[in-house]
Amino acid sequence: MDYLPLFLKLEGKRCLVVGAGEVAVRKASLVLKAGATVDVVSPQCCAAMAQLVADHEALTYRNSVYTAADLSGAQIVIAATDHPEVNEAVSTDAHKANVLVNVVDQPDLCSFILPAVIDRSPVVVAVSSGGNSPVLARTIRTKLESLIPAAYGKLAELVGEFREQAKQRFSSVNERRTFWESVLEGPIAELVFAGDMDKAKQMLSEHFTEPEDPSKDGMGEVYLVGGGPGDPDLLTFRALRLMQKSDVILYDRLVAPEIVDLCRRDARRIYVGKARDKHTLPQQEINQMLVDLARQGHRVCRLKGGDPFIFGRGGEEIDLLSQCGVPFQVVPGITAASGCASYSGIPLTHRDYSQSVQFVTGHLQPGAKELDWAGLVRDRQTLVIYMGLLGLDKICQRLIEHQMSEDMPVALVERGTTPEQKVYVGTLKTMPEQIKQLHIKPPTLIIVGEVVRLRERLAWFSPKN
Ligand code: SAH
């Protein structure tokens, strides 16, 4: 993070704007909205600035050249002139005088930068690109504008009005959070969005006096969430919502740090490991931990790579939850096969090449039964092998022994969908040799089948190739 986002209280405080052109007008308008008293200094004044001055008592314009003395008593200064030497002087003087300074379009001269703002006061969303691309920040703002209903401001006001009452009524933070979530995600919020503030208020007052829901006996809940193969963009809305609702997160090695970062900031994060051969926590302990945390009243997000029900042991985890009567939800995720296939331009099925696809694990426990090799060798079928890197030699050899052509194309996708994705293509015969010299990093996925040939034509269209 290059800049720390802050919301500055400027009500009644003096702000200086140097320059009185179109850009200065925009900046002055913004600080005026925050209740500041604004002084504009400039030897010229555009018509829009003159109008702004006429419209706002809190804004004064002085027709003069900037001097360091203008900074006296100012909390912040914004330099928006066409003269680099003036902008630079403002920056130097302000740094000396410890006044926060922004120089338009020159991040290196700034001590703060102004974000793109979505104003649903009292709710304010600020977007910054760290000074790299104001256009990008504005594009994001436009997207958010359409996502955040205008009435969110009203909703926040309503909550503000009842906040003290809630504090008195519910002593624990958890109880208050549950209460407010039921308000913000339920019918009361809907009434606010529909414009019926009076009814919303009435319903909220009643909500305080309603007897406790008998089904809520302090028991928490577990969300078994599929986090997808790596690219955070591949999360579902539901996954994200529950990740942000949970106060404890249990995640393992397959979940990308960028995805864990999307969880609620103050949530407790517990790493439960699981590298091949060195399970940091045995599965039974993870299962029990989920039950214990939920019994303590927590909302627990068990965040898993890909899809929880595909080689994810999700079934075992919810089995114990269900036996112990712990409520849970399962959120599907994009499994590695889908993610890697799309991002490497290899359709898993194709009318001309493959009518079925099998997902198998290549990680065979010592003493485990062999894979049904004959069943894997079928015409017009794609094979996707999870956890197959260590066994690659053996897998290729067995498939050839079971009459799969040694020229059958094979793709190895390393760290699929992430910025480090690499794809190696060979055949059953060549692949084991081909990757021997390479330092391949997990996780990797193996795709075997005629469909791999399509990559040459289609990879160009994939997000990563
Ligand atoms: N539940 C997960 C799979 C867990 S098993 C899912 O649905 O994707 C772990 C295996 O998944 C890894 O050994 C690897 O074969 C595969 N895998 C997971 N993420 C991957 C990625 N980003 N790229 C390639 N393979 C991946």
Side-chain angles (χ1 to χ4, degrees):
M1 201 162 33
D2 292 332
Y3 294 85
L4 178 72
L6 296 169
F7 290 86
L8 193 63
K9 192 162 182 69
L10 281 181
E11 203 175 350
K13 298 285 187 329
R14 179 169 182 262
C15 299
L16 177 68
V17 175
V18 183
E22 300 286 339
V23 180
V25 170
R26 286 205 300 275
K27 305 297 170 189
S29 309
L30 191 65
V31 278
L32 278 172
K33 274 193 181 172
T37 308
V38 184
D39 289 335
V40 177
V41 208
S42 170
Q44 288 100 30
C45 178
C46 76
M49 184 60 92
Q51 187 59 51
L52 199 68
V53 175
D55 292 345
H56 291 86
E57 258 177 50
L59 178 64
T60 46
Y61 166 69
R62 198 154 49 77
N63 184 336
S64 67
V65 173
Y66 159 83
T67 66
D70 292 325
L71 286 171
S72 160
Q75 297 277 315
I76 66 167
V77 55
I78 298 173
T81 81
D82 292 335
H83 305 284
E85 67 288 354
V86 178
N87 290 345
E88 222 172 299
V90 174
S91 170
T92 313
D93 298 341
H95 277 99
K96 261 191 219 146
N98 272 329
V99 175
L100 292 173
V101 58
N102 176 267
V103 179
V104 173
D105 280 344
Q106 280 187 272
D108 49 326
L109 296 182
C110 295
S111 60
F112 73 95
I113 52 175
L114 286 164
V117 170
I118 299 132
D119 186 6
R120 304 280 187 272
S121 285
V123 175
V124 174
V125 182
V127 181
S128 159
S129 65
N132 289 296
S133 170
V135 177
L136 177 64
R138 283 199 293 274
T139 310
I140 295 171
R141 179 190 64 188
T142 311
K143 291 196 172 163
L144 291 175
E145 287 278 7
S146 59
L147 274 181
I148 304 172
Y152 264 25
K154 291 248 172 288
L155 192 57
E157 276 171 17
L158 181 72
V159 171
E161 253 179 70
F162 286 84
R163 214 173 141 200
E164 268 313 307
Q165 200 174 327
K167 266 193 188 156
Q168 280 159 20
R169 169 79 173 78
F170 306 106
S171 51
S172 89
V173 179
N174 270 353
E175 273 179 322
R176 280 204 293 277
R177 186 183 295 143
T178 312
F179 173 77
W180 283 123
E181 275 172 5
S182 71
V183 171
L184 296 175
E185 289 168 18
I188 297 176
E190 290 307 322
L191 281 171
V192 176
F193 295 151
D196 198 342
M197 274 306 265
D198 292 342
K199 192 137 181 233
K201 241 181 226 179
Q202 185 197 336
M203 204 165 156
L204 182 49
S205 318
E206 288 164 6
H207 200 50
F208 275 105
T209 52
E210 271 165 23
E212 287 280 305
D213 181 347
S215 68
K216 290 212 173 63
D217 49 2
M219 173 69 95
E221 204 175 349
V222 175
Y223 312 123
L224 188 59
V225 173
D231 184 346
D233 253 17
L234 295 178
L235 281 174
T236 61
F237 287 134
R238 187 155 157 223
L240 191 61
R241 191 166 58 77
L242 295 177
M243 282 159 64
Q244 297 192 340
K245 212 171 157 179
S246 302
D247 46 24
V248 185
I249 315 288
L250 265 73
Y251 65 101
D252 49 52
R253 196 180 51 99
L254 264 187
V255 183
E258 295 80 5
I259 292 178
V260 181
D261 276 352
L262 293 172
C263 294
R264 212 173 71 205
R265 199 185 297 217
D266 60 345
R268 198 171 129 206
R269 291 156 164 71
I270 305 175
Y271 176 73
V272 291
K274 283 235 199 133
R276 192 181 31 225
D277 295 337
K278 50 174 189 247
H279 288 210
T280 311
L281 270 189
Q283 186 66 49
Q284 288 91 324
E285 269 180 46
I286 299 177
N287 301 351
Q288 190 57 48
M289 204 164 172
L290 291 173
V291 171
D292 295 345
L293 286 164
R295 281 185 169 153
Q296 289 158 19
H298 292 293
R299 291 207 183 102
V300 188
C301 174
R302 172 68 177 112
L303 188 55
K304 309 192 72 105
D307 183 280
F309 281 1
I310 296 181
F311 304 124
R313 307 189 75 169
E316 296 166 48
E317 293 179 5
I318 58 171
D319 202 6
L320 190 64
L321 293 173
S322 144
Q323 280 173 39
C324 298
V326 175
F328 62 85
Q329 294 186 38
V330 182
V331 182
I334 291 192
T335 189
S338 304
C340 294
S342 303
Y343 280 49
S344 54
I346 303 173
L348 294 178
T349 64
H350 189 286
R351 274 160 61 116
D352 300 335
Y353 301 99
S354 165
Q355 276 77 49
S356 66
V357 52
Q358 273 206 58
F359 295 174
V360 289
T361 168
H363 175 49
L364 300 175
Q365 315 275 6
K369 265 172 85 181
E370 278 274 317
L371 286 172
D372 167 22
W373 296 106
L376 299 184
V377 183
R378 290 229 174 90
D379 231 17
R380 303 164 81 75
Q381 168 167 275
T382 307
L383 276 187
V384 179
I385 303 161
Y386 287 69
M387 298 169 275
L389 186 62
L390 280 191
L392 183 74
D393 280 20
K394 180 176 164 189
I395 291 166
C396 292
Q397 194 190 329
R398 289 279 188 283
L399 290 173
I400 294 172
E401 280 167 19
H402 287 80
Q403 320 308 324
M404 193 180 269
S405 159
E406 59 180 23
D407 297 324
M408 182 61 85
V410 180
L412 184 92
V413 185
E414 175 183 358
R415 299 184 171 193
T417 79
T418 73
E420 288 84 37
Q421 170 174 306
K422 290 209 178 77
V423 184
Y424 306 94
V425 176
T427 64
L428 281 183
K429 189 168 150 202
T430 63
M431 196 48 131
E433 263 319 298
Q434 210 171 314
I435 59 156
K436 250 179 203 139
Q437 330 303 336
L438 307 169
H439 298 287
I440 294 193
K441 299 206 183 76
T444 57
L445 193 83
I446 301 165
I447 305 176
V448 181
E450 298 289 350
V451 287
V452 171
R453 293 187 205 284
L454 291 162
R455 173 173 156 78
E456 253 175 60
R457 265 162 46 203
L458 303 180
W460 195 84
F461 297 101
S462 306
K464 303 204 159 55
N465 54 43

